Amino acid sequence: MQTATNYRRFEVLRSLWPWLPLWTVVALVAIFSHGPMPLFSTRTLAVAWEMWREHTWLVPHINGESYSEKVPLLFWLIHAGWFVFGVNDVWPRVLEVIFGCVQLVQLSLLARRLFPDRPWVAKAAPWMLLALSYAFLFGLQVMYEVLLANCVLGALLCLTPTLRRAEPRWLLFGLLIGAGLLTKGPVMLLHVVFPWLLGPLWNDWAREHRARWYGRGVLAMLLGFALLVAWAIPAGFAGGDAYRHRLFFTQTAGRVVNGTQQAQSLQSHPHWFGWYLVWLPMLLFPFTAWPRAWVAVGSLRKPLEGGLRFALCWLLPSFLLFSVISGKQWYYLLPEFGGWMLLLAGAIAVLRERNSTLAENYWLGSWVLGVGSIVFAGLLFALPYLTFGHAFRNEWIEGASPYSRTFSVAFLLLGCLLLVRGRGEMRRVAVTGLLGSLALNTLFTLTLWHKYDLSPTTALISAAEADHHPIAFEGNYEGQFHFAGRLTQPITELRDGLALQAFAKDHPDGLIITHPDNLDASASRYALLAQPFRSAWIVVWSAPTIAALRAGHTPPEPLQPTRIFPAPVPSPLTPQS
């Protein structure tokens, strides 16, 4: 018996090779190729920093105010690493890579349980998940969705039968629901409720023991909510009336129903009903451009086996529900990406068994992706000539052109790999998808990261705060300077011109940060610092100087010229006149 157990463990460990170390190495290289990304990662780190600095472990804070947008589990995990290693931005990024590794292992285990007679699915599903370009690139952000995906997949693993036990592990199911609720709030339930509600359609034990399935499932969900309430009630009282109202009502209702009245701004991101459907091909790339994937899904016929029924019971109703909800972002669907790959791997496994002709037909293979990669390589190679001749007036294209020829070679080689015939086609698609994503991330780092790197501004305002200069930001401040600058005081938000004039009058030694679309002559002459940020600029002013300019007056000449941070010098590969 012990020998059989040890053999099974060895087989599980062996199945992790080589996709787990490959993904880990590529993810670590990508996530440390540049700093934390504004505004996703910097906002999360700012909240964790303020909680750490003020010892407010119950109530998240940003810019000196309570932050009801998020619940605290991710921040607590960041703090756990800071207790051991000190405050840094390395641990949060390593933590995200750990979450990604866990997600791949969870998907492999889920496939193994749902497709016990098709071991190929357990081998293929994690390969396919690591190939998703959007999921990989977004996984480089210090955000909540990858941890939420771990909670979702963990909870669903609790519902699936094993060789030794058919009944779900209800206690662990409830605890993982609670962890998901403490990661992203009530949306956790939307990711797991349908596989449970539709359990009799895919789970034999649920069909035979309906009362226990639903009764114990309700108790498990109540346990999960009890964990959330155990934090939310004391946090609500600690945060005050406004925070409590936003925590218990506004921050959820504002995302579900468009137009919900709110006392202050909320990041609700409303979009129309079909928004997710339009973007789904991009989210599931490269497999949406793999003809065999379409054929495999389209050829599915009843009766479907349990694993495929599970995937459909999970994906279809949850996708419909998220489409109905007003608030939409691409990454909201990240916990379901594993489910889509589970469905696709299962469909391909069925196709391989039932129709070997279609499963091996070259014209349904990866050649489409290969041709696309080669065409993309050609565009990258021609990019310096196109920008030199001003065929495209686009700052992103012009910014990428200095290194585009070098990377065209990489995409040419990936395209040739995708044109290869024979066995291992799925792995070739997966590897090229992963390496292609790494190449794009590296190209971005070399050519466009300077438009996101806020280090010059952060250094200036950090030194200004150390000298006790008040700082203000015109518009909505997202915490992008707080962690990197280790700021200890809030930055004042200036909502209109009157607020700007009042701040300058009250704080003649203060600084004001603006975010104009273009850098005009007055900024180049009178500002303290200017740097590109995304498709606009960040400009730092002396408060009296910008107040005088806004009032139509001419300020005195600055003692030092404006520090302007231009784009990097073009590579010698760029054609010269």
Side-chain angles (χ1 to χ4, degrees):
M1 183 66 178
Q2 186 66 29
T3 302
T5 301
N6 292 336
Y7 176 75
R8 282 196 296 270
R9 290 175 180 172
F10 173 75
E11 285 298 300
V12 170
L13 290 175
R14 191 170 68 89
S15 68
L16 302 181
W17 180 267
W19 51 261
L20 186 59
L22 173 65
W23 186 89
T24 302
V25 170
V26 172
L28 286 172
V29 170
I31 205 168
F32 285 105
S33 64
H34 55 68
M37 177 72 72
L39 300 164
F40 288 136
S41 298
T42 54
R43 182 167 49 218
T44 304
L45 292 172
V47 177
W49 162 244
E50 292 203 35
M51 291 177 70
W52 175 270
R53 180 176 54 82
E54 298 295 335
H55 304 291
T56 54
W57 311 117
L58 275 178
V59 180
H61 280 73
I62 187 169
N63 200 34
E65 298 182 355
S66 56
Y67 185 59
S68 64
E69 300 289 308
K70 296 295 181 288
V71 280
L73 182 57
L74 178 59
F75 307 130
W76 290 343
L77 293 175
I78 293 174
H79 294 157
W82 285 352
F83 272 114
V84 177
F85 306 111
V87 176
N88 60 81
D89 64 8
V90 174
W91 165 247
R93 289 188 272 180
V94 170
L95 190 62
E96 289 295 324
V97 175
I98 293 173
F99 293 156
C101 293
V102 171
Q103 184 181 8
L104 294 173
V105 174
Q106 286 175 316
L107 182 61
S108 178
L109 294 174
L110 191 62
R112 187 180 303 276
R113 293 184 184 182
L114 291 170
F115 297 90
D117 299 325
R118 299 187 186 279
W120 184 86
V121 178
K123 296 178 181 179
W127 277 107
M128 298 171 76
L129 181 59
L130 66 81
L132 295 179
S133 301
Y134 175 78
F136 175 79
L137 294 173
F138 185 82
L140 305 181
Q141 311 306 316
V142 183
M143 286 283 283
Y144 317 87
E145 273 67 27
V146 184
L147 176 57
L148 179 63
N150 292 161
C151 298
V152 169
L153 290 174
L156 296 179
L157 272 169
C158 293
L159 293 180
T160 55
T162 66
L163 294 176
R164 295 183 177 182
R165 179 186 173 114
E167 182 176 2
R169 291 161 173 78
W170 297 113
L171 177 60
L172 186 56
F173 181 62
L175 293 175
L176 285 166
I177 287 177
L181 292 170
L182 287 170
T183 299
K184 197 69 191 292
V187 72
M188 165 64 182
L189 202 60
L190 304 184
H191 293 289
V192 300
V193 68
F194 292 110
W196 170 68
L197 285 177
L198 303 176
L201 296 181
W202 62 269
N203 188 299
D204 294 337
W205 191 92
R207 191 161 48 250
E208 296 168 3
H209 305 87
R210 292 174 184 262
R212 291 171 65 183
W213 175 272
Y214 290 112
R216 296 187 180 185
V218 168
L219 292 176
M221 291 185 182
L222 290 176
L223 172 61
F225 274 102
L227 295 176
L228 178 65
V229 170
W231 163 78
I233 290 180
F237 281 104
D241 292 341
Y243 172 76
R244 187 163 56 248
H245 177 72
R246 283 170 60 85
L247 179 66
F248 286 105
F249 174 70
T250 308
Q251 65 95 15
T252 296
R255 289 175 171 81
V256 174
V257 182
N258 191 18
T260 300
Q261 295 298 315
Q262 300 148 24
Q264 51 184 299
S265 62
L266 177 72
Q267 301 162 7
S268 56
H269 312 295
H271 292 285
W272 67 291
F273 173 82
W275 191 77
Y276 280 134
L277 187 63
V278 170
W279 288 108
L280 193 62
M282 183 274 292
L283 297 178
L284 300 183
F285 184 85
F287 296 103
T288 47
W290 186 25
R292 203 175 319 280
W294 289 93
V295 172
V297 174
S299 62
L300 288 176
R301 298 292 184 270
K302 293 182 179 180
L304 300 177
E305 55 191 271
L308 292 171
R309 295 198 303 271
F310 167 87
L312 292 173
C313 288
W314 176 17
L315 297 173
L316 296 184
S318 62
F319 185 82
L320 178 61
L321 183 59
F322 276 99
S323 297
V324 170
I325 292 173
S326 172
K328 297 179 179 68
Q329 288 282 69
W330 294 336
Y331 54 84
Y332 288 176
L333 299 182
L334 200 67
E336 273 69 43
F337 283 13
W340 289 107
M341 295 303 98
L342 193 69
L343 174 64
L344 184 55
I348 293 175
V350 172
L351 183 69
R352 286 158 55 105
E353 177 185 297
R354 298 179 181 175
N355 196 326
S356 59
T357 301
L358 291 179
E360 298 173 3
N361 188 301
Y362 177 77
W363 298 108
L364 298 179
S366 58
W367 68 272
V368 177
L369 287 164
V371 171
S373 183
I374 292 172
V375 170
F376 184 60
L379 291 175
L380 288 177
F381 188 84
L383 205 57
Y385 295 100
L386 295 175
T387 55
F388 177 69
H390 302 293
F392 293 100
R393 299 295 297 177
N394 183 283
E395 59 181 319
W396 303 101
I397 295 177
E398 292 174 352
S401 63
Y403 290 90
S404 62
R405 279 188 177 177
T406 303
F407 283 85
S408 71
V409 177
F411 283 97
L412 175 63
L413 294 176
L414 293 177
C416 292
L417 178 62
L418 289 166
L419 295 178
V420 173
R421 294 174 177 264
R423 295 171 59 85
E425 179 183 68
M426 180 277 299
R427 287 182 176 82
R428 288 195 294 274
V429 173
V431 170
T432 53
L434 180 64
L435 296 181
S437 300
L438 175 63
L440 289 176
N441 182 76
T442 306
L443 178 61
F444 165 82
T445 301
L446 292 173
T447 61
L448 296 172
W449 168 244
H450 69 279
K451 291 179 175 289
Y452 291 80
D453 184 8
L454 295 174
S455 298
T457 301
T458 301
L460 175 61
I461 63 177
S462 179
E465 186 193 76
D467 290 336
H468 308 290
H469 294 283
I471 302 168
F473 189 95
E474 186 178 34
N476 185 36
Y477 174 60
E478 300 281 359
Q480 53 265 43
F481 307 113
H482 255 75
F483 174 75
R486 303 297 193 270
L487 304 185
T488 60
Q489 300 298 320
I491 290 179
T492 304
E493 293 184 340
L494 307 176
R495 299 295 183 181
D496 52 38
L498 294 177
L500 186 148
Q501 295 292 337
F503 180 86
K505 181 179 179 181
D506 295 338
H507 306 287
D509 61 339
L511 303 183
I512 295 178
I513 306 166
T514 62
H515 184 34
D517 292 333
N518 299 291
L519 189 67
D520 58 22
S522 62
S524 301
R525 180 178 179 182
Y526 294 107
L528 300 175
L529 179 147
Q531 70 162 103
F533 180 56
R534 301 203 287 197
S535 58
W537 286 80
I538 290 287
V539 183
V540 184
W541 304 80
S542 165
T545 299
I546 188 173
L549 287 169
R550 294 289 176 87
H553 305 307
T554 301
E557 289 294 325
L559 298 177
Q560 296 180 342
T562 303
R563 297 168 56 197
I564 299 178
F565 292 82
V569 177
S571 163
L573 291 176
T574 304
Q576 303 294 322
S577 57

